């Protein structure tokens, strides 16, 4: 009887203690919506199980984590970075990124680029083969791109092909042709688009192994775009056999030509990739089996890792990072290229005042924001283009910009004195006092996102005496409110689509689809227009410098931070998987210990 | 005959309830702020139009509702706006897992709950009673996500690491839902609250029954205590427990989201929650209708079973 009482007490104590310790839920620190990368959580973890794979047949197996069930593994429809990373294992594009994120000919053995940079002629390798045994031909690419531009396929990322001649016109004409009456009603002032057929688009199949692509503009980063997931080849026969709606939705609906084949997909649970022995580069691929475990909760993933069920996991919150450090793991990291900022609605009566925007932009410490509101090793945003993006000489554009400028465009600690000066000017221009300002910040609805907003609220109140309110919104609402101009300031972000400053800087052109700031400047538009056609890369870079300086003078965005992804690997991993800005994860380079 | 009439009447009510549910869900979700296709990156207008046309969102809401209703009658819940997979397939796939988890949790809760409650009633006022009721109290007051985290931390992680240090394999998996050892902790976590509820109810009900005259008579006749408890007391004491089993089953089968999330179990719960965040209209409707139909059916079954266990219950009064 005594023993039972003791037991009861012990049990009670255990419960109480653990209540305090063990129930950390991952709230996802990054929370700002924007960017190509994952969901509101920062991590797309992958992990592999260090559980001694005794039952396996001596195959090299890694259990890696992905942070969410793919919304689509149809190459034409995918939009998330983890999906594109998966494609890098399954498909081989004309170009593929190497270990340094530099595009190298892949499915194409050689590429001829015309002198004006407007025509790419691809000579495909003759040993490219689909997982169903068909040879890879030029038509597989042409067909895929035609599908991606087919308005009925409704590919989200169709615009990634707009660098190809007439691709955009082709899509838009279909939009009109779908329902001319409705189109004219919706666009009363616009001219009816001229008819554009697929024959007009700059994609020509010369023969089975030769593909000629004409571009809309000279595009220095065109090779990069050819590596993109939406431009993966599609085996036409297979695609038509299984049907467009089924393609890429279940394991049996995959026909791939890359280093791995997808052998099973149990939804919400696990995707299994097996090394493809018929791939021409199979010899250099060391891992035979990749079990991609779908674990959305960051804490669950870390626990699973520590229990030996996974080999790699991301550390998406300060709390999870600390647990990993406490467990003695060496934390590794890479810059995922995403930058976060407050987007400002410049059509707002108060925020249309540039001096008010300057005051707000300098009135808080970006480093303090990172230290206090996030607690992860992020870096303050001191240029709009993320430092991971290269300039003309394959070095960081942002670093070159800062060197050229003779210092950061915006001080990491803010500049409260200057901010006070701007505020005074702004208030006299607006003819009001500081307590008459009615400003608000939109943020995500997670506690982490609200902490971030609260930090800014506090800084502005302390430094400038401005009191702002906080509006937490679910992601979808935040996105559509920005789109519709129904906001004042909104925490969001952007991730690069390709390795060129243009991927950041063309955001703020007047008619830019993603320019929800409602800010517009002829000078800025002219700079971007010039950069679009400029073939002298050094001169082009100078144009980008000017554009950056305009952003940090006009402050249609208030800069916050550049994101870094942290992760740990188990002792089973020899060569780490490639983790980089533009590949997220790539296990074709990994080896076992 | 009476039975048949009763069942028909209940099924009739159920259909009306379900219709109201479908209509309410359909129209309420359209009032959510946001747009399913406005995401982080702007899409060309032609693509937006094509997406809206593909999912029929370009028609008037009334028209959409009639089409949806018609499709529902054919068992077609449409394609998920998010993943483009058929909603019915997603529900079928993931509910199998949730059901597996839920049923195990209910069986665990019921068997152990009745046992604890009975033991506590028999040993009323003694230490055994106190311990049993303490466990029940903890179970009622501590939410499942805390129980889940504790079990995962101590048994899924610490124990595994200790065993591994000793050169042994893991006794419990920390996450997943495939091998047998991954199915224990989630079941314990999910079933614990219900176990507590059931054991408290059983104890109360058992105490009531044990005080009845016929039990004294049975004792006086010289029946052994196990026979009295098993044959005479439990059958009567369990009736109220069966009544709550319906709501408990419903709660466990539909409310496993948190436990599923912690243990990374591919159940239906996450769709119920995530579909609202992603404005996946077809998925919101699909899961709501499914859960609604499930709850209605569960309650119906319990009412019928109740009549079988306790013949005194007249169905038409139900």
């Amino acid at each position: 009887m005594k023993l039972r009482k003791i037991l009861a007490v012990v049990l009670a104590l255990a419960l109480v203690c653990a209540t305090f310790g063990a129930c950390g839920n991952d709230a996802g620190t990054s929370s700002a919506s924007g960017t190509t990368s994952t969901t509101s959580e920062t991590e797309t973890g992958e992990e592999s199980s260090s559980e001694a794979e005794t039952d396996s047949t001596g195959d090299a197996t890694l259990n890696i984590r992905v942070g969410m069930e793919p919304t689509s593994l149809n190459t034409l429809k995918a939009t998330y970075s983890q999906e594109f990373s998966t494609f890098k294992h399954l498909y081989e594009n004309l170009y593929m990124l190497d270990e340094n994120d530099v595009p190298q000919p892949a499915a194409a053995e050689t590429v001829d680029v015309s002198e004006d940079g407007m025509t790419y002629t691809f000579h495909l390798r003759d040993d490219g083969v689909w997982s169903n045994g068909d040879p890879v031909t030029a038509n597989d690419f042409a067909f895929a791109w035609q599908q991606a531009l087919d308005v009925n396929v409704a590919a989200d990322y169709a615009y990634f092909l707009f660098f190809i001649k007439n691709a955009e016109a082709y899509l838009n004409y279909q939009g009109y042709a779908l329902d001319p009456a409705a189109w004219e009603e919706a666009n009363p002032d616009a001219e009816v688009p001229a008819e554009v057929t697929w024959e007009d688009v700059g994609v020509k199949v010369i023969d089975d192994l030769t593909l000629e692509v004409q571009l809309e503009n000279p595009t220095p980063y065109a090779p990069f775009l050819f590596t993109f997931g939406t431009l993966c080849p599609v085996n036409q026969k297979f695609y038509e056999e299984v049907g467009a709606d089924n393609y890429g939705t279940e394991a049996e609906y995959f026909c791939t030509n890359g280093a791995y084949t997808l052998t099973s997909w149990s939804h919400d649970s696990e995707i299994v990739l097996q090394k493809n022995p018929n791939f021409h580069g199979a010899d250099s691929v060391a891992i035979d089996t990749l079990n991609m475990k779908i674990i959305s909760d960051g804490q669950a993933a870390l626990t699973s890792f520590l229990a030996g069920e996974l080999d790699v996991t991301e550390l998406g919150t300060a709390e999870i990072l600390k647990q990993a450090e406490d467990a003695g793991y060496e934390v590794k990291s890479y810059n995922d290229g995403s930058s976060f900022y407050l987007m400002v609605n410049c059509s707002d009566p108060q925020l249309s005042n540039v001096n008010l925007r300057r005051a707000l932009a300098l009135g808080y410490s970006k480093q303090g924001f990172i230290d206090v509101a996030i607690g992860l090793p992020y870096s303050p945003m001191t240029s709009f283009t993320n430092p991971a993006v290269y300039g003309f000489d394959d070095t960081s554009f942002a670093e070159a910009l800062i060197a050229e400028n003779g210092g950061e465009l915006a001080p990491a600690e803010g500049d409260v004195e200057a901010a006070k000066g701007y505020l005074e000017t702004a208030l006299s221009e607006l003819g009001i006092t500081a307590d008459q300002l009615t400003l608000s910040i939109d943020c995500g609805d997670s506690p982490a996102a609200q902490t971030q907003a609260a930090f800014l609220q506090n800084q502005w109140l302390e430094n400038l005496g401005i009191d702002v309110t906080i509006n937490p919104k679910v992601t979808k609402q935040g996105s559509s409110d920005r789109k519709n101009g129904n906001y004042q300031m909104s925490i969001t972000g952007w991730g690069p689509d390709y390795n060129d400053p243009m991927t950041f800087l063309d955001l703020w052109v007047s008619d830019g689809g993603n320019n929800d700031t409602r800010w517009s400047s002829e000078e800025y538009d002219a700079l971007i227009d010039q950069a679009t056609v400029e073939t002298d890369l050094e001169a082009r870079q100078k144009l980008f410098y000017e554009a950056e300086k305009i952003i940090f003078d006009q402050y249609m965005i208030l800069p916050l931070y550049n994101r870094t992804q942290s992760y740990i690997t188990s002792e089973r991993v020899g060569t780490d998987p490639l983790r980089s800005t533009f590949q997220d994860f790539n296990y074709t380079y990994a080896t076992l210990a | 005959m009476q039975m048949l009439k009763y069942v028909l009447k209940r099924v009739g009510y159920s259909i009306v309830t379900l219709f109201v549910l479908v209509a309410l869900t359909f129209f309420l979700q359209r009032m959510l702020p946001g747009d399913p296709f406005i995401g982080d990156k702007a899409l060309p207008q032609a693509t937006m139009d094509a997406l809206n046309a593909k999912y029929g969102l370009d028609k008037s809401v009334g028209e959409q509702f009639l089409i949806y209703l018609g499709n529902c009658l054919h068992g077609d819940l449409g394609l998920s706006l998010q993943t483009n997979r058929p909603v019915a397939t997603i529900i079928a796939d993931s509910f199998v897992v949730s059901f597996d988890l839920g049923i195990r949790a209910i069986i665990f809760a019921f068997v152990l709950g009745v046992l604890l409650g009975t033991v506590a009633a028999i040993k009323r006022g003694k230490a055994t009673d106190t311990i049993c009721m303490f466990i029940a109290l903890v179970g009622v007051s501590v939410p499942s996500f805390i129980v889940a985290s504790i079990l995962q931390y101590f048994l899924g992680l610490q124990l595994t690491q200790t065993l591994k240090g000793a050169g042994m394999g893991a006794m419990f998996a920390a996450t997943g839902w495939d091998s047998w050892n991954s199915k224990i902790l989630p079941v314990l976590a999910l079933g614990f609250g219900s176990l507590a509820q059931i054991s408290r109810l059983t104890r109360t009900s058992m105490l009531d029954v044990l005080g009845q005259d016929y039990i004294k008579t049975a004792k006086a006749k010289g029946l052994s205590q196990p026979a009295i408890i098993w044959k005479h007391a439990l059958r009567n004491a369990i009736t109220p427990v069966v009544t709550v089993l319906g709501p408990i089953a419903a709660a466990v089968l539909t409310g496993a989201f948190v436990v599923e999330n912690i243990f990374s179990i591919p159940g239906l719960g996450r769709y119920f929650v995530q579909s609202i965040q992603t404005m996946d209209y077809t998925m919101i409707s699909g899961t709501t209708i499914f859960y609604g139909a499930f709850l209605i059916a569960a309650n119906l079954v319990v009412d019928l079973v109740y009549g079988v266990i306790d013949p005194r219950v007249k169905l038409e009064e139900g």
Side-chain angles (χ1 to χ4, degrees):
Chain A
M1 201 52 74
K2 232 180 194 173
L3 184 71
R4 284 183 183 175
K5 276 184 183 164
I6 293 168
L7 257 176
V9 171
V10 169
L11 183 69
L13 281 178
L15 283 170
V16 171
C17 295
T19 310
F20 291 106
C23 53
N25 256 352
D26 175 20
T29 42
S30 84
S31 74
S33 60
T35 85
T36 45
S37 57
T38 64
T39 49
S40 63
E41 258 184 294
T42 46
E43 50 220 291
T44 23
E46 331 157 13
E47 334 181 6
S48 45
S49 89
S50 58
E51 209 159 1
E53 306 269 337
T54 43
D55 54 337
S56 70
T57 54
D59 280 358
T61 300
L62 285 180
N63 295 329
I64 66 179
R65 172 203 173 209
V66 290
M68 61 182 280
E69 160 84 358
T71 55
S72 178
L73 284 181
N74 175 345
T75 53
L76 304 171
K77 301 252 174 102
T79 54
Y80 285 93
S81 69
Q82 68 163 54
E83 293 157 11
F84 292 125
S85 294
T86 307
F87 295 153
K88 290 192 189 300
H89 299 77
L90 293 175
Y91 296 92
E92 187 179 46
N93 282 28
L94 293 168
Y95 279 95
M96 296 289 275
L97 295 178
D98 67 11
E99 295 99 312
N100 303 313
D101 279 358
V102 176
Q104 303 291 352
E109 199 148 36
T110 57
V111 186
D112 302 330
V113 185
S114 67
E115 230 162 78
D116 60 0
M118 300 282 277
T119 307
Y120 281 68
T121 309
F122 296 97
H123 303 283
L124 272 63
R125 48 189 320 134
D126 56 10
D127 56 354
V129 59
W130 288 99
S131 52
N132 68 355
D134 293 348
V136 176
T137 67
N139 182 62
D140 297 327
F141 290 92
F143 175 73
W145 302 349
Q146 186 180 1
Q147 291 303 308
L149 289 169
D150 185 329
V151 80
N152 291 311
V153 172
D156 281 18
Y157 277 8
Y159 62 87
F160 269 90
L161 288 100
F162 287 178
F163 72 110
I164 297 172
K165 186 179 158 196
N166 282 336
E168 183 170 9
Y170 174 65
L171 182 79
N172 287 339
Y173 176 73
Q174 294 173 75
Y176 161 77
L178 208 60
D179 190 347
W183 191 92
E184 277 169 40
E185 202 181 301
N187 307 278
D189 306 323
E191 263 180 62
V192 171
E195 181 170 356
V196 181
T197 65
W198 176 245
E199 276 62 46
D200 302 322
V201 179
V203 179
K204 297 280 167 294
V205 175
I206 309 289
D207 60 45
D208 269 0
L209 294 179
T210 315
L211 183 71
E212 186 190 282
V213 181
Q214 294 199 318
L215 308 190
E216 184 83 25
N217 290 305
T219 312
Y221 49 90
F224 206 99
L225 293 174
F226 286 114
T227 72
F228 201 72
T230 313
L231 280 78
C232 285
V234 171
N235 182 322
Q236 179 171 2
K237 195 183 81 186
F238 183 83
Y239 183 83
E240 286 167 352
E241 229 168 68
V242 302
D245 269 339
N246 286 333
Y247 185 70
T249 57
E250 305 285 349
E252 63 262 40
Y253 301 138
F254 281 83
C255 182
T256 59
N257 71 329
Y260 286 86
T261 53
L262 189 148
T263 54
S264 100
W265 181 358
S266 62
H267 291 280
D268 289 308
S269 178
E270 188 177 48
I271 297 168
V272 180
L273 306 188
Q274 292 281 357
K275 181 175 164 178
N276 172 10
N278 300 321
F279 180 60
H280 59 81
D283 288 349
S284 64
V285 176
I287 307 295
D288 297 309
T289 308
L290 288 168
N291 297 321
M292 303 170 67
K293 304 211 165 184
I294 298 163
I295 303 181
S296 51
D297 186 76
Q299 181 64 57
L302 181 70
T303 306
S304 188
F305 175 92
L306 295 174
E309 296 163 2
L310 291 166
D311 290 316
V312 187
T313 190
E314 272 80 10
L315 312 166
T317 69
E319 207 173 278
I320 291 172
L321 182 85
K322 185 169 178 303
Q323 288 176 50
E325 280 175 344
D326 290 349
Y329 284 93
E330 179 205 347
V331 176
K332 302 162 186 182
S333 66
Y334 68 99
N335 181 346
D336 77 353
S338 300
S339 298
F340 292 79
Y341 44 83
L342 280 150
M343 188 181 270
V344 182
N345 184 350
C346 298
S347 69
D348 179 85
Q350 301 161 72
L351 291 166
S352 59
N353 184 297
V354 66
N355 286 313
L356 178 59
R357 300 202 299 267
R358 287 171 183 153
L360 292 169
L362 296 172
Y364 58 89
S365 161
K366 292 184 272 292
Q367 190 60 53
F369 182 90
I370 294 164
D371 295 342
V372 176
I374 295 180
L376 285 166
Y378 293 171
S379 62
M381 178 179 176
T382 53
S383 60
F384 183 59
T385 305
N386 189 288
V389 172
Y390 288 162
F392 76 104
D393 56 356
D394 286 350
T395 61
S396 168
F397 168 81
E399 283 168 23
L401 167 69
I402 288 165
E404 194 264 356
N405 187 53
E408 289 165 341
L409 292 176
E413 298 293 343
D415 184 345
V416 177
E417 284 319 305
K420 282 178 177 161
Y422 283 127
L423 180 62
E424 211 169 297
T425 317
L427 291 175
S428 75
E429 281 166 1
L430 291 168
I432 55 174
T433 58
D435 53 7
Q436 285 175 310
L437 287 169
T438 49
L439 298 175
S440 64
I441 305 175
D442 285 9
C443 62
D445 58 348
S446 70
Q450 294 180 48
T451 305
Q452 297 180 9
F455 178 84
L456 293 168
Q457 183 186 43
N458 184 266
Q459 288 268 295
W460 285 332
L461 186 63
E462 275 188 7
N463 294 340
L464 304 175
I466 299 175
D467 196 6
V468 302
T469 52
I470 295 172
N471 298 330
K473 292 179 178 174
V474 295
T475 311
K476 282 279 178 191
Q477 188 190 356
S479 303
S480 84
D481 280 349
R482 278 195 297 276
K483 180 96 359 212
N484 300 322
N486 182 24
Y487 76 105
Q488 289 186 302
M489 292 179 277
S490 180
I491 301 181
T492 182
W494 188 256
D497 294 326
Y498 46 86
N499 200 354
D500 187 277
M502 187 67 99
T503 190
F504 276 94
L505 295 173
D506 74 356
L507 279 183
W508 311 127
V509 296
S510 301
D511 58 353
N514 292 299
N515 184 358
D516 298 332
T517 65
R518 287 160 164 72
W519 174 86
S520 139
S521 146
E522 281 173 24
E523 189 192 356
Y524 191 90
D525 292 353
L527 285 171
I528 299 301
D529 284 348
Q530 281 176 52
T532 304
V533 294
E534 178 61 68
T535 49
D536 177 348
L537 296 182
E538 207 171 339
R540 185 169 173 267
Q541 178 131 334
K542 292 226 163 66
L543 296 169
F544 287 144
Y545 289 159
E546 294 313 307
E548 283 273 359
K549 286 172 190 169
I550 292 178
I551 294 174
F552 282 84
D553 173 62
Q554 293 291 310
Y555 286 115
M556 70 296 254
I557 54 130
L558 312 181
L560 294 172
Y561 62 90
N562 302 318
R563 188 165 69 187
T564 308
Q565 297 276 16
S566 300
Y567 66 101
I568 46 176
T569 56
S570 78
E571 62 281 1
R572 288 188 65 243
V573 182
T575 310
D576 276 356
L578 178 67
R579 308 299 309 256
S580 73
T581 306
F582 292 99
Q583 306 193 49
D584 191 0
F585 58 88
N586 188 338
Y587 282 82
T588 56
Y589 302 100
T591 63
L592 288 190
Chain B
M1 198 57 220
Q2 204 180 36
M3 178 82 171
L4 185 68
K5 207 172 140 194
Y6 172 75
V7 171
L8 283 178
K9 203 164 127 194
R10 284 298 304 267
V11 169
Y13 284 142
S14 303
I15 290 173
V16 174
T17 315
L18 204 54
F19 174 79
V20 173
L21 183 73
V22 174
L24 270 180
T25 315
F26 191 90
F27 290 106
L28 280 179
Q29 69 186 359
R30 301 307 164 108
M31 292 162 72
L32 284 174
D35 182 303
F37 302 123
I38 292 183
D40 301 332
K41 297 201 172 185
L43 303 182
Q45 192 55 43
T47 306
M48 287 287 272
D49 293 345
L51 280 169
N52 281 319
K54 171 167 182 172
Y55 292 101
L57 300 177
D58 52 346
K59 302 190 175 68
S60 73
V61 179
E63 205 175 334
Q64 288 178 43
F65 180 63
L66 291 179
I67 294 171
Y68 184 74
L69 215 53
N71 288 340
C72 277
L73 292 178
H74 297 105
D76 175 8
L77 297 174
L79 295 178
S80 159
L81 305 191
Q82 185 73 5
T83 64
N84 210 36
R85 291 174 66 215
V87 170
T89 310
I90 296 177
I91 292 178
D93 283 0
S94 49
F95 188 66
V96 167
V97 175
S98 286
F99 189 78
D100 188 16
L101 168 64
I103 281 296
R104 285 165 194 262
I106 291 167
I107 292 173
F108 158 72
F110 184 74
V111 171
L112 213 61
V114 169
L115 184 72
L116 277 183
T118 308
V119 170
I122 297 169
K123 304 278 184 188
R124 182 183 187 185
K126 303 206 173 114
T128 317
D129 183 20
T130 315
I131 293 171
C132 289
M133 284 309 102
F134 177 75
I135 294 174
L137 187 68
V138 171
V140 170
S141 9
V142 180
S144 62
F145 69 89
I146 291 180
V147 179
S149 301
I150 291 170
L151 289 173
Q152 188 183 47
Y153 183 72
F154 286 107
L155 298 182
L157 182 55
Q158 299 294 0
L159 180 65
T160 301
Q161 286 180 337
T162 313
L163 288 176
K164 206 162 271 180
M168 286 184 277
M171 191 184 291
F172 305 106
T175 56
W177 187 258
D178 35 32
S179 55
W180 66 270
N181 70 351
S182 66
K183 300 193 178 183
I184 297 170
L185 302 183
V187 168
L188 297 186
L190 185 60
F192 193 44
S194 308
L195 177 153
Q197 206 183 336
I198 290 173
S199 65
R200 283 162 64 95
L201 196 62
T202 308
R203 178 176 178 273
T204 315
S205 165
M206 196 67 164
L207 282 177
D208 186 36
V209 170
L210 287 177
Q212 301 275 328
D213 287 346
Y214 75 92
I215 298 292
K216 288 179 192 158
T217 311
K219 266 188 196 158
K221 268 166 55 181
L223 285 181
S224 70
Q225 202 192 14
I228 294 172
I229 300 292
W230 183 248
K231 282 193 177 158
H232 299 282
L234 197 57
R235 172 115 201 242
N236 281 321
I238 216 168
T239 323
V241 178
V242 173
T243 324
V244 296
L245 213 51
I248 285 182
V252 163
L253 289 170
T254 59
F257 168 67
V258 176
V259 171
E260 286 176 359
N261 192 39
I262 290 172
F263 289 103
S264 198
I265 295 168
L268 185 55
R270 78 175 70 192
Y271 285 104
F272 196 44
V273 177
Q274 282 176 359
S275 59
I276 298 173
Q277 290 162 351
T278 56
M279 304 195 67
D280 190 342
Y281 292 144
T282 45
M283 201 68 216
I284 299 175
S285 292
T287 45
T288 312
I289 292 169
F290 176 77
Y291 276 142
F294 186 82
L295 287 186
I296 291 168
N299 279 324
L300 183 62
V301 168
V302 167
D303 281 357
L304 297 179
V305 170
Y306 196 62
V308 175
I309 290 185
D310 188 349
R312 288 170 302 177
V313 174
K314 294 227 172 67
L315 288 176
E316 69 270 27
E317 287 167 12

